[in-house]
Amino acid sequence: MKHATRLQRQPFIQPISVDLTREMAFFRAAFLKVEPRFDPKLTDKDILNSLFAWVWKLDEYNKLKLDYNKGFCFYGDLGLGKSMILHALRQYRNSLVARHESKREDFRMKGTWLKSASELANIFSADGHPALIQYTSDEINLIIDELGREPRPAKYFGTELNVIQFVLQLRYDHRRDSVTHITTNLKPEDIAQYYGAYIADRCWEMFNFIEFKGASLRSKTY
């Protein structure tokens, strides 16, 4: 796997005091809850350690030098565990919110929602712009799964909209208060073709880019 990220900024909130051994157990349990057959040996160890480090701002575990103030863009071929890992991260962070919400004010303490890009496009097609606003709020963190597979443009009666372009733009405006994560089969250089150069440029400010390579895991475990 190849990992790419921009220069790391200093975190603006220091981590609270926690039992890291206990939290690591919760972290591993989240993966097993999402995928009971999960085998950490089949996943890049640096990715798993760095995700845990990102949650708690632990430089010694942050092997990928992730920017603590950005979300993630997992990109690469099908079947490499991109969605599973972000689903597990969501599971862990939502359990973390329930256990530590009163102790820390940080975007890591906000609930994380998950929608596929196609679901968001269908939401617009059914109910128009107002139905998308809840997904652009700075009150939530958001995972957008399978970016690039949604219909473009989506249509609501006579109105056409590139839904993901719209959602990413508004979430970019709130990037200091909430984070966005995406999975995609697109390469970073292809994002401009789908969503415009304006969004592609801002993605570097929103995401730590991590490329997944190798053979599909589905035939082995998932």
Side-chain angles (χ1 to χ4, degrees):
M1 296 183 186
K2 177 182 176 184
H3 316 296
T5 186
R6 286 285 179 94
L7 182 65
Q8 181 176 333
R9 291 174 289 171
Q10 291 298 315
F12 46 80
I13 299 178
Q14 294 302 314
I16 62 175
S17 177
V18 294
D19 182 339
L20 292 178
T21 300
R22 183 169 180 264
E23 288 301 331
M24 181 62 80
F26 279 116
F27 187 67
R28 291 171 178 165
F31 281 83
L32 292 172
K33 186 168 184 177
V34 169
E35 175 48 69
R37 297 171 295 173
F38 171 69
D39 183 352
K41 295 178 182 178
L42 299 178
T43 303
D44 190 307
K45 184 178 179 180
D46 285 347
I47 290 179
L48 298 180
N49 285 339
S50 295
L51 291 179
F52 185 75
W54 178 87
V55 174
W56 294 111
K57 299 179 181 176
L58 302 171
D59 290 345
E60 63 269 31
Y61 288 93
N62 190 3
K63 303 302 182 182
L64 302 186
K65 306 299 182 184
L66 299 175
D67 187 322
Y68 298 131
N69 298 320
K70 295 179 182 180
F72 306 109
C73 172
F74 289 174
Y75 69 100
D77 292 336
L78 297 170
L80 299 180
K82 301 184 299 296
S83 295
M84 185 275 296
I85 291 175
L86 277 185
H87 284 229
L89 181 65
R90 172 180 179 262
Q91 178 72 35
Y92 173 66
R93 287 178 60 191
N94 284 348
S95 74
L96 186 151
V97 168
R99 289 181 286 111
H100 297 291
E101 187 171 18
S102 63
K103 298 182 180 180
R104 179 174 165 188
E105 292 182 0
D106 190 333
F107 58 68
R108 291 162 188 78
M109 290 297 118
K110 295 180 179 179
T112 302
W113 294 10
L114 184 148
K115 288 290 180 183
S116 71
S118 294
E119 284 179 306
L120 291 173
N122 290 337
I123 287 168
F124 170 76
S125 295
D127 297 307
H129 281 90
L132 293 176
I133 297 304
Q134 61 182 324
Y135 301 102
T136 66
S137 170
D138 63 357
E139 294 299 316
I140 64 161
N141 300 312
L142 180 67
I143 295 172
I144 305 176
D145 203 10
E146 299 182 338
L147 197 84
R149 300 186 67 184
E150 76 283 359
R152 297 178 310 279
K155 297 181 180 180
Y156 175 67
F157 293 101
T159 302
E160 295 186 344
L161 181 69
N162 186 323
V163 170
I164 300 304
Q165 182 187 63
F166 172 79
V167 171
L168 288 180
Q169 173 57 62
L170 293 184
R171 293 200 62 81
Y172 170 82
D173 293 341
H174 299 312
R175 68 193 182 283
R176 305 295 184 192
D177 302 307
S178 61
V179 292
T180 307
H181 309 293
I182 60 176
T183 72
T184 184
N185 301 134
L186 300 176
K187 296 180 180 179
E189 57 267 28
D190 295 332
I191 292 177
Q193 176 184 345
Y194 281 69
Y195 306 111
Y198 184 82
I199 293 298
D201 183 63
R202 279 149 182 77
C203 282
W204 288 106
E205 296 184 64
M206 296 176 70
F207 304 121
N208 294 286
F209 285 85
I210 301 177
E211 183 179 12
F212 284 62
K213 288 185 175 181
S216 173
L217 298 175
R218 290 196 175 99
S219 60
K220 298 177 181 179
T221 298
Y222 311 143

